[in-house]
Amino acid sequence: MRAKLTALAFFLAMPAHAESDIVIEDRPCCEEQRAITSRSPEAEVIASIPEQAFRSGSVLWLKLEGNRLARIIDCIAYACYVDSSRRHELVAWWPKHRQYVIDVGLYEGRQAFLISERDGRRTSVFAPPILSPSGRYAVAADLSPGHGNGLQIIDMDTNPPTVVAVESKPACPGVKPQLWLRPDPRWLDDTRIIFEGSLDPVQFDPDIKHILRIVDGKPEWEC
């Protein structure tokens, strides 16, 4: 009975949504690098920057400035409380900005991090961002109806990057209000994003375009 009560107390004490376990250490990265045999998208990214990142089982290692490293530890469902389950996948390295892009797979929902190679600072966003052609801005979109986090514009010229949530929907004169956004953002140029695609059972009027402009650093819908 005591064992059951102890286990129950441990279960109740655990947070519903734990933070990612990211540790910064004062030692070089990638000394223990091993041959990459996987052909996963992450393995391809790591193979392109072998002196900056590697994975060992559930641990992702990233090189930081000053002979340091960031150690990011996955927590998969059978090893932790199910709602805290998360896996971290390196999906891109942006050398101009010195940022690692990490896709965070959660038990429910999604998240992403930008991790600065300068100091290991983490910027949390809704989904892995897409850079504009010049790299000045990025867009992070998780637009699944009912469950998505939403839309963000990220100014990459600041340190850390500045994240602005876009809470409005297109509302042009003479057009019915748009309750949902198309799910797939694509940069038309360095300040305009078009949203394409559709999500069943939600259907979009094919004659209505969803285009977001960045004007003086602020998002505006184009009519």
Side-chain angles (χ1 to χ4, degrees):
M1 177 63 72
R2 178 175 295 178
K4 290 183 178 180
L5 291 175
T6 301
L8 177 61
F10 175 75
F11 177 83
L12 293 175
M14 297 191 71
H17 297 283
E19 290 292 325
S20 292
D21 190 352
I22 302 177
V23 179
I24 297 177
E25 300 183 1
D26 290 317
R27 63 186 180 93
C29 173
C30 313
E31 290 180 336
E32 305 167 21
Q33 188 172 182
R34 302 171 184 174
I36 299 174
T37 57
S38 170
R39 293 186 179 181
S40 68
E42 181 187 65
E44 293 180 4
V45 175
I46 291 175
S48 70
I49 50 171
E51 296 182 356
Q52 291 181 240
F54 82 103
R55 174 173 290 280
S56 177
S58 63
V59 181
L60 175 64
W61 308 79
L62 303 174
K63 173 183 174 294
L64 303 180
E65 187 179 89
N67 212 32
R68 298 182 302 158
L69 65 82
R71 179 164 51 94
I72 307 176
I73 304 169
D74 292 343
C75 187
I76 50 183
Y78 61 80
C80 62
Y81 185 55
V82 66
D83 282 352
S84 300
S85 175
R86 54 185 59 215
R87 175 175 169 80
H88 308 84
E89 180 179 0
L90 177 63
V91 295
W93 157 246
W94 293 347
K96 176 180 177 180
H97 307 290
R98 298 174 64 185
Q99 296 279 349
Y100 300 100
V101 183
I102 309 296
D103 190 3
V104 185
L106 306 177
Y107 175 69
E108 290 182 341
R110 69 182 313 189
Q111 189 180 22
F113 298 146
L114 296 175
I115 296 184
S116 172
E117 192 241 1
R118 296 177 178 88
D119 53 16
R121 184 178 300 191
R122 175 181 60 185
T123 301
S124 181
V125 292
F126 290 158
I130 303 170
L131 277 176
S132 66
S134 74
R136 167 66 193 275
Y137 295 104
V139 56
D142 180 18
L143 299 174
S144 174
H147 301 288
N149 290 313
L151 176 64
Q152 295 167 317
I153 298 297
I154 307 160
D155 187 342
M156 298 302 301
D157 271 9
T158 63
N159 185 30
T162 301
V163 181
V164 176
V166 181
E167 298 179 350
S168 63
K169 299 290 190 301
C172 296
V175 176
K176 64 182 179 181
Q178 300 295 287
L179 300 178
W180 310 101
L181 289 175
R182 298 176 186 272
D184 304 319
R186 177 172 63 86
W187 289 94
L188 293 173
D189 52 43
D190 208 49
T191 58
R192 293 192 308 152
I193 309 161
I194 187 169
F195 294 82
E196 301 173 315
S198 184
L199 288 173
D200 292 331
V202 179
Q203 298 296 322
F204 299 96
D205 186 332
D207 296 326
I208 298 176
K209 291 185 177 181
H210 298 167
I211 298 178
L212 187 70
R213 296 188 303 163
I214 302 174
V215 180
D216 296 328
K218 298 179 180 180
E220 296 180 0
W221 291 105
E222 180 177 295
C223 292

